[in-house]
Amino acid sequence: MPTLSSRAGRATLGLLMLTLSALAVVVAATSTPVRAADPVTVLTSSFEDGTGQGWARRGTVELVENSTAVAHAGTRSLLTSGRTASWNGPSRDLLTTVTRGTRYTYSVWARAAAGAGSVQLRMSVERRWQGTASYEQVVNSTTVTDGGWTQLTGGYTLANDADFFAVYVETVSGTASFHIDDFSLSYLPPSPIQTDIPSLKTVFANDFPIGAAVGRPQLLAERGQLLAKHFNSVTAGNAMKWDATEPTEGVFNYTDADAIVAFARANGMKVRGHTFVWHNQTPAWVFNDANGQPMTATPANKTLLLARLEAHIRAVGGRYAADVSAWDVVNEVIDENQSDGLRRSTWYTITGLDYIRTAFRVARQVAPNAKLFINDYNTNVQAKRDKLYNLVASLKAEGVPIDGVGHQQHGNISWPTGAETDSMIATFIPLGVEQQITEMDTSIYTSSSESFTTPPADRLASQAARYKAWFDVYRKYKANITSVTLWGLADDETWLDSYPVSRKDFPLLFDVQLQAKPAYWAVIGAASPTATGPASPSPSPSRSPSPSPSVSPSASASPSPSASRSPSASPSPSVSPSPSGSGSPVSCRVKYTVTNQWNSGFQGDVVVTNTGPAAVNGWALRWTFANGQVVNQSWSSVYAQSGANVTITNAAWNGTIGANGGTASFGFLSSWSGTNTAPAAFTLNGNACALG
Ligand code: 9MR
């Protein structure tokens, strides 16, 4: 995992200041109201009535009883003593209390019993379905003492079938006695998703698929709607990992992975497979020898481990061969502090490099249609990416079928910079590999000591600037980048809530109520203003390395950035052939549709039909806005605006509109305020067009 210190160490005040000033426009653009909902509390346990209030022991020997020894509030708490195992503790049945698909906040106050000193506690849920139990942590290991109360708080969504569901508190190790008090279970009423804002997948349609890492909760209700609206790629955040798919040798569990793949199929999304080989989330049995003891580096153990690896990839990769378009075959194998750059994982110590060779070879056989990736974090750090580069170069030279390099891009509000991200991509181009951004998120923190329960506006502004800087680089290199994925859907659920310390983080494009954040608007503004479509036969101006001048769909986004790009209202000769139809009469029809509208911007889609007997070669469509609307980006076209007069010229690949009904289509984003009247008239190469 990325270390916070490696990120924080790169933050500079100067950079932060630059970032803040650059974001002024974006913040102003965050006009979509975020509903301020109050949490609804569905259960509390204060123990003030002298009972256990439904809490009972998990084991058979420990004592769970009401206590007057200490209290967080009032005079009573719940004491657990006489424990003989770390999992012994108080448990509360919630099966009929929680609603499937709703994310609840679980909070409890805890303290070690008198004389127990310092104890590590955690809060988890136990879910059973048809005799099989699963255990998931809600709050990670937290130190509590006998000198005061400590709050354990975290979120969890029940998303699977369950015939038993309970929350419990246990020690990480040992059998110390402890108290709990003032438990509460609450949720934020779900907000409807914003259906009237541009979909990310539409904005980036001509750049790259845009993905999110998800679990089953993200497939349900409003979250499922948000996922389907904005994303056309999905990664299983945990469900395809070894611990999820093969917890016991030869016993496979595809429940959650199947659900994610089915959602992707139903919604026409690509699936990134994550991950066959990792040093984390791999069950202990994988690394035990034939006698059940931890493996040592012997030839027999190497053979055994590689055989397990092959069997695992054959099973999981084979199951999803028709669905997964890219696999993270190996994950985080680089350690730049080793002279050979190779992480000293158990995989490495038992097999050397052969686990990587085996994994790619078997993956290619069993999933021949998937692109095979080596995935890692901190590839924006030169020392790390150089080691990765060398490894990929030497393995490819051997014939190991590596198709691509995955850059995780876990960052924070001040790191990595656009320049570091640029170098990250540029470095790998000579290798001739595909590149994908696989796990992007942007923590609002730059140090472990910070903590906010709601994100301050200046952090959100910095975050938006960071996202925009990265997306500008991705757009620049869209010929090399074949996918961009965020590590999560919305701020309501992120791995950063428990890493590197437990605190709420807000690292994604949508907030805890699934509403678009400043970062979303920044990303929208960073979309290619001159996308030319995947079928473009020739290099297009959108591949130009200059960053997009357009920032956000805000009415305050003035002056129009288009003026600096396209000073004249006539088509640029570099992007369009000379309009051959300009001298001869052209007959045309224009259908202008506002497909999305929000309170400061709108998305327009236009279809131009050539109703004449001759093809039009090179075109310019002109109209005049009546209400001060300002176009700030377009796709499948090049836009220019002078005052109220808009000129849209063809992209390199759609300059010809066939005779007798041929069409050209393009879209654009524009600001508006007050009134948004559709243009009353259009001309194509100077000729008036019919409407509709
Ligand atoms: O998002 C994952 C989180 O739920 C897990 O608890 C965590 C621990 O293994 O792994 C997270 O995903 C990681 C990914 O698989 C690889 N790169 C780092 C990600 C964040 O830790």
Side-chain angles (χ1 to χ4, degrees), residues 1 238 241 274 278 281 331-332 408 410 439 487 495:
M1 275 186 226
N238 287 304
K241 291 173 180 170
H274 177 86
W278 195 22
Q281 291 181 277
N331 190 39
E332 303 177 1
Q408 293 186 2
H410 292 291
E439 304 186 15
W487 203 245
W495 72 288

Side-chain angles (χ1 to χ4, degrees), residues 334 336 378-390 407 419-421 423-425 427-428:
I334 298 296
E336 69 271 37
N378 282 4
T379 49
N380 38 276
V381 176
Q382 185 173 358
K384 177 117 185 208
R385 71 167 167 266
D386 287 351
K387 293 288 202 294
L388 178 60
Y389 182 99
N390 293 339
H407 306 281
E420 288 167 313
T421 306
S423 302
M424 173 183 90
I425 303 295
T427 297
F428 288 91

